[in-house]
Amino acid sequence: MSLRFKQHSVLPGFGLGLGYSLFWLCLIVLLPLAALVLKSALLGLDTFWATVTTERVLASLRLSFGASLLAAAINAVFGLLVAWVLVRYPFPGKRLIDALVDLPFALPTAVAGIALTTLYAPNGWFGQLLAPLGLKVAFTPLGVVVALTFIGLPFVVRTVQPVLQELETELEEAAACLGASRWQTLRRVIFPAVLPALLTGFTLAFARATGEFGSVIFIAGNIPLVSEITPLLIISKLEQYDYAGASAIAVLMLVISFVLLLAINLIQWWASRRPSRR
């Protein structure tokens, strides 16, 4: 007698579900990326390199990725603080503030850009207060950072908040009973537990900021070599019917984004494995 072993999945229809998943992944993600690479390949290596290394393109890349990393870092600090306050402290209006955190999700990006420009323009509510101090936000790279910080804050808060809610306060009490100070409890008990989630929120905020367009173009001023972001430069190439040039810049931006996200994910993987080694 021959025995036949058949492996059963816990969920039915695994093969069909996997097939549909791969089909939609190829249709929505891989095929457009492949078309983008093939379109830029029409330029040739020399023309491609000359296109992506112009002073205007390099300045836009420095602004886009530099502002995205800075905004994500700011959101990592203040997003953790906001999540901590929402989880640990009861206060009047808590539900309202908790709901306002999701406002950048619901607000159209163009509306956010117009609102921020109105507030931080030299004659705006905040801009006229900052002008005597010599600070100009609107139509400068600082305005780009402000806009990217605004749209990226919810990613950090909503990623860290569930982890803080599940974190047992008994661990902090045990650390205090053993003689640990508040700083030691924060550094050795709380921070290692929330670090993977914090890195995830940082990654999401950075990825969102890298491709942001609507909320930035109004407050940036779009001055070449000063406050022009790479997505706007790609749009300008498309309006000039330079499809190959736009594809070349997009491919370079895609490669840089992939490398940075890979590095962040490796750091996140390393951080998630640290507690298990102790």
Side-chain angles (χ1 to χ4, degrees):
M1 296 179 62
S2 60
L3 298 177
R4 296 181 179 179
F5 297 92
K6 184 178 180 180
Q7 183 179 2
H8 296 278
S9 175
V10 177
L11 297 177
F14 171 75
L16 183 61
L18 179 61
Y20 274 117
S21 301
L22 294 178
F23 170 75
W24 283 109
L25 177 64
C26 294
L27 183 64
I28 298 177
V29 179
L30 297 183
L31 285 180
L33 293 181
L36 182 66
V37 174
L38 291 176
K39 187 67 176 180
S40 63
L42 298 177
L43 291 174
L45 184 59
D46 294 336
T47 308
F48 175 88
W49 184 253
T51 301
V52 300
T53 55
T54 60
E55 186 179 1
R56 186 177 178 182
V57 174
L58 294 178
S60 68
L61 288 171
R62 285 193 296 267
L63 176 61
S64 294
F65 287 102
S68 298
L69 285 172
L70 180 57
I74 294 173
N75 282 325
V77 176
F78 291 97
L80 176 61
L81 180 61
V82 171
W84 177 267
V85 171
L86 291 176
V87 171
R88 292 301 178 92
Y89 302 109
F91 55 90
K94 178 179 179 179
R95 291 185 178 181
L96 177 61
I97 295 179
D98 193 15
L100 288 176
V101 171
D102 294 329
L103 183 62
F105 284 151
L107 195 66
T109 56
V111 176
I114 295 173
L116 291 174
T117 305
T118 304
L119 291 174
Y120 288 100
N123 58 347
W125 289 358
F126 298 157
Q128 62 183 355
L129 298 178
L130 297 175
L133 302 177
L135 296 176
K136 185 179 180 181
V137 178
F139 318 124
T140 64
L142 181 58
V144 178
V145 176
V146 170
L148 297 182
T149 303
F150 172 78
I151 58 101
L153 179 64
F155 291 95
V156 179
V157 176
R158 294 310 183 209
T159 305
V160 176
Q161 192 173 7
V163 178
L164 290 176
Q165 290 174 344
E166 296 296 329
L167 187 62
E168 299 178 355
T169 56
E170 288 79 3
L171 297 177
E172 303 171 36
E173 295 173 357
C177 293
L178 293 175
S181 62
R182 292 184 177 181
W183 170 249
Q184 290 175 329
T185 303
L186 176 64
R187 184 169 59 91
R188 296 191 176 186
V189 178
I190 300 175
F191 189 72
V194 302
L195 181 58
L198 185 62
L199 289 175
T200 300
F202 174 87
T203 304
L204 294 175
F206 168 73
R208 179 69 176 85
T210 302
E212 178 59 23
F213 180 77
S215 63
V216 176
I217 57 173
F218 293 100
I219 196 173
N222 311 319
I223 305 174
L225 304 178
V226 177
S227 60
E228 185 180 43
I229 59 175
T230 306
L232 178 62
L233 184 58
I234 295 174
I235 294 296
S236 301
K237 292 281 186 181
L238 293 175
E239 291 177 347
Q240 299 169 8
Y241 302 101
D242 186 7
Y243 300 117
S247 300
I249 300 174
V251 167
L252 179 61
M253 194 174 186
L254 177 65
V255 172
I256 297 175
S257 300
F258 178 79
V259 172
L260 290 176
L261 290 176
L262 179 61
I264 295 173
N265 286 328
L266 289 176
I267 296 174
Q268 181 182 358
W269 172 81
W270 170 78
S272 64
R273 291 176 59 89
R274 283 189 64 190
S276 61
R277 293 182 177 179
R278 291 183 178 180

